[in-house]
Amino acid sequence: MRYEIRVDGQMSETLAKVFPELDHVLMAGQTVLFGRVIDEAHLFGLLSRFRALGLRVVEMRQLPE
Amino acid sequence: MTDVTDVTDMTDVTEETDEEPAPTGVDPEGDPLLRTRFALPKRPATFLRRPRLARHLDEALRTPLTLVDGSAGAGKTLLVADWATGLREPVAWLTSDTADQAPGVFWAYLLGALRAARVPVAAEVGCPAEASRVDQRTLIRLAADLERRDHTTVVVLDEFDRVTCTEIARQLQFVLHHAGRGLHLVLVTRTEPLLPLHRYRASGEITEIRDAELAFTTDEAGELLSRHGLHLPASAVEALVERTRGWAAGLRLCALAARRGPDPGTYVKQFEAGHSAVADFLLAEVLDRQPPGTQDLLLRISVLERFCPDLVNALTLRTDAETVLAALHRENAFVHYLGQSWYSLHPLFAEILRAHLRERSPGLEPELRRRAARWLRRSGALREALVQGAAADDWEFTARAVVDDLAIGRLFTGLRSEDLSALFSRMTPEVTGPVPDLVRAARDLGRRDLEHGLTHLRRASQEVAEAAGDGPEPAPVRLSCALLEALAARLTGSPGRAERAAEQARGLWRHVPEQRLDEHPELTALLLTHLGSARLWAGRFEDARTALSAVAGHPGGAVMALPRWEALGHLALIDYLNGWPGRAEHKALAAAGEAERHSLPRRSGSGLGPLVLAAVHVDRDELDEAQALLDDEAVSRPAVEDPVARAGRTVVRGRLLLARGDARAALAAADEPVPADVGSPWAREQSALLASAAHLAQGHPDLARQAVDRMAPHRTACAVEAARVRLAAGRAEEALALIDGLPDGDRPGPAVAVRATLVRAQAAYETGDRGTAHRLVARALLDGRREHLRRPFLEAGPWIRPLLSTGRLRELAGGWLLPGRPVTTAPAGHPGFAVEELSARERDVLHRLADMLSTEEIAADLHVSANTVKTHLKSIYRKLGVSRRAEAVRRAREARLL
């Protein structure tokens, strides 16, 4: 499964390294992380890591293969 | 916020200085760091008490559950800690840990938190000693204990988002429900807990404080910022609140960053206009503005969950940790203070700081963890030391630490045994040497993976032996090796090997520090249990009893629960095999009590206790009860077990099949091989006796004779069976000669004695001596009555029935063997049936039960909920050993409780 997750605010390069499994691009006031997500457990793990880092998820969607 | 001055006045006293009472006996595992998890974090000088939230929390006491659910850094923990400090009610605090996912661990720590808060629960509640399991009865009694109190106990579970186990959520819900007003639960979390919140909401039983309410208002933010030395015009504060959405951590970090810059006002303006992720950006800014020494310290401690100045100094290789940590706490930046010099990193920052550490000093993390591991080990925090050692992939250190501390037994017993074993799952095959091999062998044998376990043990033993050339391995290594040898001997049925291991261990005791042995009583206990089991297999019952009694009588907490329970099960089996069903039952029940108190077992199977109880039930012809025990036991049986358990099960199953009339299946059971290095005299004897009895039941005395004549004729049980075979073939004289020829030395218990007497009686009957037959049957009845040994009479044959139907014999058999009133002079009720003390509340319920009140009526009468009454009822049923109301009343009258 490929996912795209948008979080509020532009992440620093340092913080982006907490998600080595995802690529990211900075947009206007947002960061878009994207890449392969192994399964649901991985997805929920990612969500809780965003939560733990004080990042606000504003959008999350599965990408077509 | 309408009145800011009011807040200021109240917060003058927030700096906490009072000493934390050192909790005693809170620790199931001797873990000195544990108490930091029971500590309410201290509020720093800059903490801002917000009365609207404190008021809401006060009001929340009316509902059983409070949920404080907000993002990381929203100020939840300090809010609840501040509120809880001012409560009149006792407060138990537990900071969750990711390692608490197993129900047994969670509840053991929750009970520890209650003890630390000086509101311990009654001893009857027990405490889990295995990670994966908590006994339902422990939860029932905990709820009842809380409910009985005349005050509410407040339990705060902080960082509850770390608990993701649905079973724990269900259990919490159960206890919360049944504790009624006795428990007020506060969950502090950043994710929705797994409790059925919609139901609590529908019934108005929950108070929720969520992000929207936790967010700072402009007034509050202004006050908070000025506490951090940043004084801004109202419009700037408003803009900042908007940018951070009133997020406490964002506001604090912004103040810290701005204050250290040349022009705070401009800084805040720039930040407001920026587009960065708030925490990420501000943390980097604040970090950058710390003095280099503080920056370095913060990055290094990111590998720790909790720390004290000395530990931090070990990581920084400096000496200034105390000052730096105190300053960080004062500013409410990054760290919480837990009291007694211990701190924890604010959960929001730990991971971000770790990301910075990896970037700035790649490769430093393992080195830091190694240093932390060594410091922790020196300080006696073995578990934390092992966690850090494993995280650093420092396997030589980690394995050594377990073995040198004599903690290898902890891989088998205790709350954390599975965790400890799992720690080593990442140890790669490249790690070699006797100590890592010992740990591998222990893990495999603990999982009953005999093939790998024995291979690793062989290699470790060789390495230990070869090391003698250039200085022998230290005593703890050899002692650990002896323990595993004893276990291997037990599992393979090899008594000689077990004796050699025990001999070796005896030579090593005095070469290890006495204090270490005292800290690890489980090492000796496990070794003696294995030795006892191997001796039992060898049929050396008295020697086995010596080893096992030492373990069964040994006090001690969670780590001793498993060996004690195993030893009791083995002792019960010895009594059964010696023909003492009453004593066997007593010990098996003691083992069951031990299992219940400590929520045993799972990994270790259900043990010998249920097998022995089933065997006793068969002797008493209570076949359904026996069947139920065997069915239950089959569910939790481990794939590989020692030959004692295998042989024990085969015998009981065969006896039950035979009692049910399935002689063919009983014969098959008797034929089942029990793999072992060395044969066992009693296992062979029991199989032969079973086979003989099955052949007799099928009407084949000749085959029966073949089976039993191979056995030792001087053993009473064998002689009795051989005599039965002769009787079946119509040779009464021969039968009598066999029994009379028995030596005096072998004096078995009533289960064998009654059978012997009945054989004599039958022989007398068939030779026409009715008087003697009568007298002997009377003696057998007297001997069998106390133990309710029905089976021997049912197996005796048709000749006995007419005797039992008249006169004195009928009277003696009445009430237990035959319907009718017992002629007993002993007090009524089951002998040896000890009624557990009922609580005052349970007596109240019992009296009303006897008055035929319904559950609802009792509830109304006692001013409690119906559910509470049901909990009491369950407890009463359990204590009286009944399952229905009428039975409970009857049993209570018998025991003169009414």
Side-chain angles (χ1 to χ4, degrees):
Chain A
M1 315 188 281
R2 287 178 61 77
Y3 268 87
E4 176 187 293
I5 303 160
R6 281 168 189 262
V7 301
D8 207 12
Q10 298 184 334
M11 279 165 65
S12 67
E13 285 302 311
T14 308
L15 196 66
K17 285 190 185 133
V18 175
F19 302 94
E21 70 268 53
L22 299 178
D23 292 319
H24 68 282
V25 288
L26 301 182
M27 315 281 275
Q30 285 184 345
T31 307
V32 182
L33 296 113
F34 55 95
R36 190 159 294 283
V37 172
I38 303 160
D39 53 14
E40 293 274 304
H42 184 195
L43 187 64
F44 282 96
L46 281 172
L47 281 176
S48 82
R49 263 147 80 202
F50 288 126
R51 183 86 167 147
L53 292 164
L55 293 166
R56 269 169 44 86
V57 175
V58 290
E59 194 190 328
M60 182 175 82
R61 62 192 188 100
Q62 191 172 357
L63 300 171
E65 288 297 320
Chain B
M1 172 86 26
T2 49
D3 188 356
V4 173
T5 48
D6 174 45
V7 181
T8 322
D9 290 341
M10 286 173 65
T11 43
D12 279 345
V13 290
T14 52
E15 181 75 70
E16 281 266 323
T17 48
D18 54 333
E19 269 302 296
E20 189 77 359
T24 48
V26 293
D27 178 4
E29 288 286 281
D31 176 350
L33 276 189
L34 191 56
R35 66 174 125 77
T36 61
R37 294 184 42 201
F38 302 144
L40 276 75
K42 311 284 180 193
R43 292 138 301 157
T46 51
F47 172 78
L48 176 71
R49 177 177 292 165
R50 296 186 285 165
R52 63 180 173 98
L53 292 174
R55 254 194 318 272
H56 199 176
L57 283 168
D58 278 338
E59 289 164 18
L61 281 174
R62 282 185 228 134
T63 61
L65 176 64
T66 300
L67 179 65
V68 182
D69 188 348
S71 49
K76 305 178 294 292
T77 298
L78 287 183
L79 165 71
V80 176
D82 177 55
W83 167 77
T85 309
L87 283 180
R88 259 177 299 131
E89 291 83 357
V91 178
W93 185 284
L94 175 63
T95 302
S96 313
D97 192 292
T98 34
D100 296 353
Q101 295 306 326
V105 179
F106 177 85
W107 288 100
Y109 286 3
L110 188 62
L111 294 170
L114 287 165
R115 275 195 298 272
R118 305 191 169 214
V119 280
V121 293
E124 61 151 21
V125 173
C127 187
E130 273 198 36
S132 55
R133 187 163 177 272
V134 59
D135 198 297
Q136 184 70 15
R137 284 164 291 203
T138 291
L139 299 179
I140 292 172
R141 288 178 215 170
L142 169 63
D145 183 294
L146 291 169
E147 198 268 343
R148 268 197 296 270
R149 301 176 182 194
D150 52 10
H151 58 76
T152 299
T153 302
V154 178
V155 172
V156 182
L157 300 177
D158 192 19
E159 297 185 34
F160 191 67
D161 43 275
R162 293 172 156 199
V163 178
T164 53
C165 167
T166 47
E167 211 179 329
I168 295 175
R170 190 186 55 70
Q171 291 160 344
L172 261 179
Q173 185 196 337
F174 175 87
V175 171
L176 187 60
H177 181 61
H178 290 274
R181 297 207 52 85
L183 171 64
H184 178 76
L185 183 64
V186 183
L187 297 180
V188 183
T189 172
R190 55 190 186 210
T191 56
E192 207 81 344
L194 294 164
L195 281 76
L197 298 181
H198 57 280
R199 247 189 279 157
Y200 288 101
R201 283 181 194 128
S203 54
E205 288 179 299
I206 183 172
T207 306
E208 293 177 81
I209 297 181
R210 308 180 69 97
D211 262 328
E213 195 176 347
L214 288 166
F216 275 65
T217 64
T218 309
D219 285 342
E220 287 167 346
E223 171 64 17
L224 181 75
L225 292 171
S226 47
R227 268 162 196 269
H228 283 81
L230 186 64
H231 305 279
L232 296 175
S235 61
V237 175
E238 205 164 317
L240 197 54
V241 167
E242 198 167 317
R243 171 81 164 100
T244 58
R245 295 170 196 263
W247 186 42
L251 291 166
R252 270 200 330 264
L253 286 171
C254 185
L256 291 172
R259 212 184 53 196
R260 300 215 178 212
D263 181 358
T266 315
Y267 179 85
V268 171
K269 277 213 182 65
Q270 277 169 358
F271 168 66
E272 282 164 14
H275 295 292
S276 48
V278 176
D280 173 25
F281 172 76
L282 286 174
L283 182 118
E285 294 273 295
V286 175
L287 190 63
D288 276 341
R289 284 160 201 235
Q290 301 291 333
T294 308
Q295 282 188 39
D296 182 58
L297 179 143
L298 278 168
L299 295 178
R300 284 169 186 249
I301 59 175
S302 70
V303 302
L304 302 168
E305 277 209 28
R306 281 172 278 270
F307 40 86
C308 64
D310 197 41
L311 170 56
V312 175
N313 284 334
L315 295 197
T316 59
L317 305 177
R318 304 198 312 254
T319 53
D320 59 349
E322 190 161 357
T323 348
V324 177
L325 289 174
L328 286 171
H329 175 245
R330 214 164 29 244
E331 289 193 320
N332 197 5
F334 306 108
V335 299
H336 280 154
Y337 182 49
L338 304 172
Q340 295 182 332
S341 293
W342 281 86
Y343 295 83
S344 65
L345 207 50
H346 194 296
L348 173 62
F349 303 130
E351 202 168 348
I352 307 186
L353 284 171
R354 243 185 334 262
H356 283 269
L357 172 71
R358 283 172 193 151
E359 188 175 61
R360 293 197 198 178
S361 316
L364 185 59
E365 192 180 330
E367 174 56 28
L368 292 173
R369 290 193 188 277
R370 263 196 291 277
R371 281 189 220 158
R374 281 166 178 77
W375 185 93
L376 287 162
R377 190 178 163 210
R378 275 201 306 281
S379 313
L382 183 64
R383 199 175 74 79
E384 280 78 5
L386 299 176
V387 168
Q388 291 289 1
D393 276 329
D394 189 350
W395 299 111
E396 178 58 31
F397 165 85
T398 312
R400 275 267 170 213
V402 171
V403 171
D404 283 354
D405 273 28
L406 297 184
I408 196 144
R410 299 275 164 113
L411 284 161
F412 300 98
T413 174
L415 198 52
R416 291 294 199 178
S417 59
E418 280 154 90
D419 282 0
L420 192 55
S421 178
L423 263 190
F424 286 96
S425 61
R426 286 192 306 110
M427 184 160 72
T428 49
E430 292 89 70
V431 187
T432 53
V435 177
D437 277 336
L438 276 177
V439 171
R440 286 191 183 103
R443 290 187 67 223
D444 292 335
L445 292 175
R447 283 185 308 221
R448 298 293 185 257
D449 176 353
L450 268 187
E451 194 193 328
H452 291 101
L454 293 176
T455 310
H456 284 133
L457 180 58
R458 201 174 312 124
R459 204 163 67 203
S461 302
Q462 263 165 20
E463 287 163 328
V464 170
E466 282 160 13
D470 39 56
E473 282 288 342
V477 178
R478 284 178 289 151
L479 195 50
S480 302
C481 196
L483 170 66
L484 298 186
E485 278 289 326
L487 172 56
R490 166 183 172 180
L491 292 175
T492 53
S494 181
R497 187 177 181 181
E499 294 294 345
R500 280 194 299 279
E503 191 56 44
Q504 222 162 21
R506 262 193 293 277
L508 289 164
W509 293 139
R510 58 202 161 82
H511 296 296
V512 294
E514 202 169 326
Q515 185 203 342
R516 276 273 144 74
L517 274 178
D518 290 346
E519 282 166 9
H520 292 286
E522 77 278 0
L523 185 79
T524 315
L526 288 169
L527 191 125
L528 285 175
T529 308
H530 302 331
L531 177 67
S533 180
R535 284 176 173 174
L536 199 168
W537 178 244
R540 290 163 46 210
F541 291 169
E542 281 319 302
D543 294 339
R545 209 199 294 267
T546 309
L548 295 164
S549 300
V551 180
H554 196 294
V559 290
M560 284 298 295
L562 180 79
R564 209 162 38 216
W565 167 76
E566 283 206 321
L568 281 167
H570 279 84
L571 288 169
L573 181 61
I574 294 176
D575 281 336
Y576 172 74
L577 291 172
N578 278 335
W580 294 95
R583 293 180 193 172
E585 182 188 33
H586 186 76
K587 293 201 177 76
L589 288 176
E594 188 76 35
E596 188 186 311
R597 244 186 329 281
H598 292 286
S599 297
L600 297 171
R602 171 143 311 169
R603 184 158 85 133
S604 29
S606 51
L608 291 175
L611 288 179
V612 173
L613 284 179
V616 173
H617 278 305
V618 172
D619 265 350
R620 293 178 181 162
D621 200 44
E622 293 156 349
L623 304 185
D624 290 343
E625 285 87 340
Q627 187 71 55
L629 279 164
L630 287 183
D631 291 349
D632 260 9
E633 189 260 0
V635 176
S636 54
R637 188 189 315 162
V640 175
E641 47 185 358
D642 58 54
V644 171
R646 282 281 291 262
R649 174 171 314 100
T650 308
V651 170
V652 180
R653 213 161 42 85
R655 288 275 159 203
L656 178 58
L657 287 166
L658 188 61
R660 287 213 184 275
D662 192 346
R664 244 161 67 131
L667 266 178
D671 261 351
E672 240 170 65
V674 177
D677 286 358
V678 172
S680 163
W682 63 263
R684 221 171 25 234
E685 180 180 297
Q686 290 287 335
S687 289
L689 295 180
L690 176 61
S692 163
H695 284 308
L696 278 188
Q698 285 182 321
H700 300 303
D702 43 334
L703 292 176
R705 188 168 169 172
Q706 279 176 26
V708 79
D709 277 1
R710 285 200 299 268
M711 291 300 115
H714 63 277
R715 301 258 311 151
T716 309
C718 293
V720 169
E721 185 62 29
R724 281 188 61 207
V725 172
R726 302 296 190 286
L727 283 172
R731 292 140 85 157
E733 299 291 344
E734 267 180 57
L736 271 180
L738 272 169
I739 299 247
D740 291 336
L742 275 173
D744 283 343
D746 187 28
R747 301 183 70 88
V752 179
V754 166
R755 286 184 169 92
T757 311
L758 285 175
V759 167
R760 282 177 205 260
Q762 188 182 355
Y765 182 88
E766 281 171 15
T767 50
D769 187 353
R770 296 296 165 98
T772 306
H774 227 268
R775 192 171 44 77
L776 287 170
V777 170
R779 198 209 298 168
L781 285 169
L782 279 168
D783 285 348
R785 184 175 61 174
R786 202 169 337 117
E787 307 256 16
H788 286 200
L789 287 169
R790 300 181 187 92
R791 209 58 232 159
F793 296 90
L794 298 174
E795 281 167 3
W799 61 274
I800 200 170
R801 267 177 229 143
L803 289 186
L804 290 178
S805 59
T806 51
R808 166 90 177 132
L809 295 185
R810 196 200 147 80
E811 257 178 51
L812 284 174
W816 64 281
L817 189 57
L818 296 172
R821 287 198 64 79
V823 286
T824 163
T825 47
H830 293 234
F833 178 87
V835 177
E836 200 181 322
E837 185 91 13
L838 295 184
S839 72
R841 208 51 166 173
E842 285 159 3
R843 278 171 196 272
D844 289 345
V845 172
L846 187 62
H847 280 288
R848 284 161 181 79
L849 206 60
D851 294 340
M852 307 289 279
L853 264 58
S854 72
T855 302
E856 286 68 28
E857 287 165 334
I858 297 175
D861 204 23
L862 294 174
H863 305 288
V864 297
S865 74
N867 277 315
T868 304
V869 174
K870 283 181 195 156
T871 307
H872 286 313
L873 282 175
K874 274 188 206 139
S875 179
I876 292 169
Y877 292 171
R878 179 187 57 76
K879 288 179 180 177
L880 296 177
V882 300
S883 55
R884 278 192 302 277
R885 282 164 180 253
E887 274 181 79
V889 172
R890 201 183 60 233
R891 179 66 56 81
R893 290 215 165 98
E894 281 170 10
R896 297 178 195 282
L897 293 170
L898 284 170

